[in-house]
Amino acid sequence: MPMTEKNATNPTTEPAVLHESVIGWFGEHARDLPWRRPEAGAWGVMVSEFMLQQTPVSRVLPVYEQWLARWPRPADLAAEAPGEAVRAWGRLGYPRRALRLHGAALAITERHGGDVPADHGQLLSLPGIGEYTAAAVASFAYGQRHAVLDTNVRRVFARAVTGVQYPPTATTAAERRLARALLPEDEATAARWAAASMELGALVCTAKNETCVRCPIAAQCAWRLAGKPAHEGPARRGQTYAGTDRQVRGRLLAVLREATGSVPQSALDAVWHEPVQRARALDGLVADSLVEPLENGFYRLPQS
């Protein structure tokens, strides 16, 4: 089967060779992660996908296990106040993901009888579910044929097929076409390919210090064959954290998570020395529905 997108970039890379090599490597080297086990179910897969966004596996594992022990089904989470989801999220970062996951659990309970839907369109209609998460859940939980494009997969495709060091900052239409062209026709193989190419990017074809000697497709990799040309686009800057509003928001939320009820303004004032930035961060938390203001200058995690 011809692959137009591939032929326009790297004619030496045959999809069948990539599939066989990467899936074979995955069979030997895949990490034993709880959301990959059959008992995780679709809900376990969905929880992991929310938690893994911009967060490494090592930080997710303990929170994931505690979460599933407390809320093994969507209905269990839906029965709790959204603030409890924020509290259990701990220090994973980007806590709005906790609210979105709570919202998805509510919708699953109300619209789908408490079962995570298998239909891709129904997944997309859930609050907090975007293109990537819907494809990931449909593929990893239900074995369906979808292009699953996270940062790791995009980097593998950019290097192996397109011949560049890094993919664009945001996913492009060309990347989506390439991902669809690379998909195996068989559903089960396509789902395995999605997981395998993601794992290859996470463990071998990493953003820095890639280990090509361990790569199962090094011999076909367009970027390596071209001599690993340096990235020509805008400089890729790492995200800073110290001193940012994100850090202040995290400290404010930590006080609220540790409290059993509401806390006074004075308790929040104590966590950051700069009053203007502190007020801005608190206002942002309120605007994002992560913090609920009460009378007399008290605050709490959201209850509704």
Side-chain angles (χ1 to χ4, degrees), residues 252 255-256 259 261-271 282 294-300:
L252 294 170
V255 174
L256 291 159
S262 60
V263 301
Q265 177 79 54
S266 59
L268 299 176
D269 289 346
V271 305
L282 181 57
L294 304 173
E295 295 180 352
N296 302 318
F298 279 74
Y299 295 85
R300 69 181 180 186

Side-chain angles (χ1 to χ4, degrees), residues 95-237:
R96 277 178 290 181
R97 292 179 292 168
L99 290 183
R100 293 179 184 134
L101 185 50
H102 184 272
L106 278 171
I108 291 167
T109 303
E110 294 169 356
R111 303 177 198 169
H112 303 287
D115 295 323
V116 176
D119 180 77
H120 182 260
Q122 291 180 339
L123 285 167
L124 268 176
S125 73
L126 295 173
I129 302 285
E131 174 187 356
Y132 164 77
T133 305
V137 173
S139 178
F140 301 151
Y142 294 113
Q144 296 176 15
R145 183 179 182 270
H146 294 282
V148 183
L149 276 174
D150 82 334
T151 302
N152 289 314
V153 175
R154 293 174 60 224
R155 186 168 57 252
V156 168
F157 291 176
R159 291 174 179 175
V161 181
T162 313
V164 295
Q165 185 177 16
Y166 297 118
T169 303
T171 306
T172 65
E175 287 181 284
R176 293 186 179 94
R177 289 194 299 270
L178 174 59
R180 289 193 295 268
L182 284 171
L183 268 180
E185 290 297 324
D186 175 70
E187 275 205 330
T189 307
R192 188 76 170 168
W193 162 251
S197 54
M198 187 176 296
E199 190 80 334
L200 185 65
L203 299 183
V204 175
C205 193
T206 52
K208 296 179 180 179
N209 303 316
E210 67 282 348
T211 51
C212 298
V213 293
R214 295 171 46 214
C215 181
I217 54 172
Q220 291 81 38
C221 177
W223 183 57
R224 190 191 69 83
L225 292 173
K228 294 187 177 181
H231 178 64
E232 295 181 351
R236 301 174 68 87
R237 296 183 178 88

